Amino acid sequence: MGATVTHEHALLDGGPGPMGATYGKMMMWFFIVSDALTFSGFIAAYGFSRFKFIETWPIADEVFTHFPFLHGVTAPMYYVALMTFILIFSSVTMVLAVDAGHQMKKSKVAFYMFLTIIGGFIFLGSQAWEWKNFIKGEYGAVETRGGSILQFVDKEGKRVALADFAANLPEEREQLTRDKGFWFEKESSISEHSVAEVIAGFKANPNLLIRTEVINKETKHKTTLSREESLKKLEQDAVLVVEGANLKHNEYGHKLFADFFFFITGFHGFHVFSGVILNILIFFNVIIGTYEKRGSYEMVEKVGLYWHFVDLVWVFVFTFFYLV
């Protein structure tokens, strides 16, 4: 009788395992599941924080209004939507690369992988541009003793930048360094305007009003104070001029908004960057014919699983952080 040969270590040897998946695919799926749980925790934490401070949370349409080469044009969420489209389109080109690999068409795999890499680079560049604008800010604001944000608007409700009305007083300001700061605190940079200059400029412009970070339940917009209330609030509570955003101060509103923005989009951006590096390595292996010699383009399929996961995560980030 002939002995029956059984493949006891199918996964380790690269053979078919559970549901026909090889060892490499199984490990990629394990990683995706664990990473998905991590992102789920981040998004859940964001959701809890947002709804806890729902009345003072910044409105995304008022924060992400920039578009490249359209300075001064308000385009709420347009560029973020374009970034999303580019990333989703790169997922389509990855699908075409995997399909070409199944057909053992080397030139098509290389072409679609190249398009996927370009899409990844465009997304990363767009995200860096968005970070730059978010950090730099456009209008500036004043922070109160309680840590809330006061923004400046005209009588029509349009935002007014500090540079447009702040007075120029003969003041000398010194940047706080660790050797002079309490508990070794330091300033990353000195604001272009001081609180005194903002107050003086506000008094000299009677058409200006203050908008708080509290959302009016009836109008669904930030609450605007009267001229008298604005002057009183500014003189009594203003302690710091805030321009842009960082992990401590945020001209757009609640500080946690900036913290989550940097953490969630930064963590996702790191995943996209890692995916681009992997795609480049796979692309060069395709060019030199590594997978054609092996008789399988499974590596393209495995890195494709990771890329699709990164795209899917961004869809959730875009939905819950930017849209909802």
Side-chain angles (χ1 to χ4, degrees):
M1 296 178 62
T4 302
V5 178
T6 58
H7 206 145
E8 296 180 357
H9 303 287
L11 290 178
L12 295 176
D13 295 336
M19 301 181 68
T22 61
Y23 177 78
K25 286 184 183 179
M26 288 294 294
M27 293 302 100
M28 180 58 74
W29 276 113
F30 286 152
F31 168 77
I32 287 175
V33 171
S34 63
D35 214 26
L37 294 174
T38 303
F39 273 107
S40 298
F42 294 157
I43 294 176
Y46 168 79
F48 282 121
S49 299
R50 172 174 179 172
F51 284 103
K52 181 178 180 180
F53 304 104
I54 188 66
E55 294 183 350
T56 59
W57 204 257
I59 300 173
D61 283 349
E62 297 180 353
V63 177
F64 307 103
T65 60
H66 302 84
F67 203 95
F69 311 112
L70 295 178
H71 181 70
V73 177
T74 301
M77 306 298 294
Y78 287 8
Y79 195 57
V80 181
L82 178 62
M83 290 168 53
T84 304
F85 172 78
I86 292 171
L87 197 61
I88 291 176
F89 184 77
S90 72
S91 192
V92 174
T93 57
M94 178 59 80
V95 169
L96 296 174
V98 172
D99 181 66
H102 290 161
Q103 301 177 38
M104 299 300 293
K105 296 180 178 179
K106 174 184 171 182
S107 59
K108 284 191 174 182
V109 175
F111 175 71
Y112 290 124
M113 285 291 295
F114 178 75
L115 292 181
T116 303
I117 293 169
I118 294 299
F121 272 124
I122 294 175
F123 179 84
L124 288 173
S126 300
Q127 197 168 51
W129 184 85
E130 185 186 44
W131 270 47
K132 184 263 294 182
N133 286 284
F134 187 82
I135 293 172
K136 181 181 178 182
E138 183 177 3
Y139 297 101
V142 169
E143 187 174 307
T144 67
R145 300 179 189 278
S148 60
I149 292 296
L150 304 178
Q151 300 171 340
F152 299 91
V153 298
D154 58 21
K155 291 186 176 181
E156 296 179 354
K158 296 181 180 180
R159 289 286 303 275
V160 179
L162 299 181
D164 293 338
F165 70 89
N168 187 13
L169 302 179
E171 295 181 325
E172 291 186 5
R173 289 179 290 157
E174 184 178 359
Q175 184 173 349
L176 181 64
T177 56
R178 289 187 183 275
D179 59 329
K180 300 177 181 178
F182 185 67
W183 289 114
F184 300 101
E185 292 181 334
K186 70 173 184 177
E187 292 177 310
S188 57
S189 60
I190 299 178
S191 300
E192 186 176 348
H193 308 284
S194 67
V195 174
E197 290 176 332
V198 172
I199 294 177
F202 185 84
K203 290 180 178 180
N205 289 269
N207 292 326
L208 293 180
L209 299 172
I210 281 181
R211 186 176 72 171
T212 69
E213 61 182 16
V214 179
I215 298 177
N216 189 304
K217 295 182 178 180
E218 297 180 357
T219 62
K220 304 300 181 181
H221 292 90
K222 301 292 184 179
T223 303
T224 302
L225 304 179
S226 65
R227 177 68 182 180
E228 293 73 19
E229 291 174 330
S230 298
L231 282 169
K232 183 179 179 180
K233 186 74 171 176
L234 192 60
E235 290 179 333
Q236 292 182 352
D237 294 341
V239 295
L240 180 69
V241 174
V242 180
E243 295 173 311
N246 51 47
L247 295 176
K248 290 184 178 181
H249 306 287
N250 173 19
E251 77 165 48
Y252 309 104
H254 203 285
K255 298 176 183 178
L256 281 178
F257 178 81
D259 295 342
F260 277 112
F261 172 80
F262 290 126
F263 194 74
I264 293 179
T265 62
F267 192 60
H268 177 266
F270 172 75
H271 279 70
V272 176
F273 177 77
S274 301
V276 170
I277 297 301
L278 290 173
N279 284 337
I280 291 174
L281 294 175
I282 300 301
F283 172 75
F284 280 110
N285 279 332
V286 171
I287 294 296
I288 64 178
T290 301
Y291 307 124
E292 191 170 23
K293 294 175 183 177
R294 292 182 185 177
S296 172
Y297 282 87
E298 185 179 314
M299 283 299 298
V300 176
E301 188 172 354
K302 285 186 285 190
V303 77
L305 289 174
Y306 175 79
W307 192 254
H308 296 322
F309 166 72
V310 169
D311 291 358
L312 182 61
V313 167
W314 179 254
V315 170
F316 281 98
V317 172
F318 176 68
T319 301
F320 291 106
F321 192 90
Y322 292 93
L323 294 184
V324 176

